[in-house]
Amino acid sequence: MPGTHLPPDTWGDAAVSWPDKFFAIRVGNESDPERLRAAAEAEAMTDNPRGDRIARINKRLAELES
């Protein structure tokens, strides 16, 4: 679907605001490493980074790389 795929930086910025359950679903279904890295970077840059979210993203990245 053209026009519905958010660029990595936009997707990453949006991920910071998602509720935990929605975040887990979206990260678990994401297959674009660039989007996942952008989400991890956006989370790390917040005033109060949530390590559990960064860990979930890193786990998904590891799954994609194996």
Side-chain angles (χ1 to χ4, degrees):
M1 283 186 243
T4 61
H5 190 78
L6 293 174
D9 58 337
T10 304
W11 195 89
D13 289 343
V16 171
S17 66
W18 295 335
D20 289 337
K21 189 171 184 177
F22 186 70
F23 174 85
I25 292 167
R26 292 295 301 264
V27 167
N29 289 328
E30 185 55 56
S31 60
D32 183 346
E34 288 184 47
R35 290 170 115 195
L36 292 166
R37 287 187 196 99
E41 183 177 328
E43 183 64 44
M45 298 301 293
T46 65
D47 290 338
N48 190 17
R50 293 165 286 190
D52 59 321
R53 286 185 171 223
I54 295 170
R56 183 179 293 275
I57 293 166
N58 287 334
K59 180 180 177 189
R60 181 64 181 142
L61 280 166
E63 291 170 357
L64 293 174
E65 293 170 353
S66 62

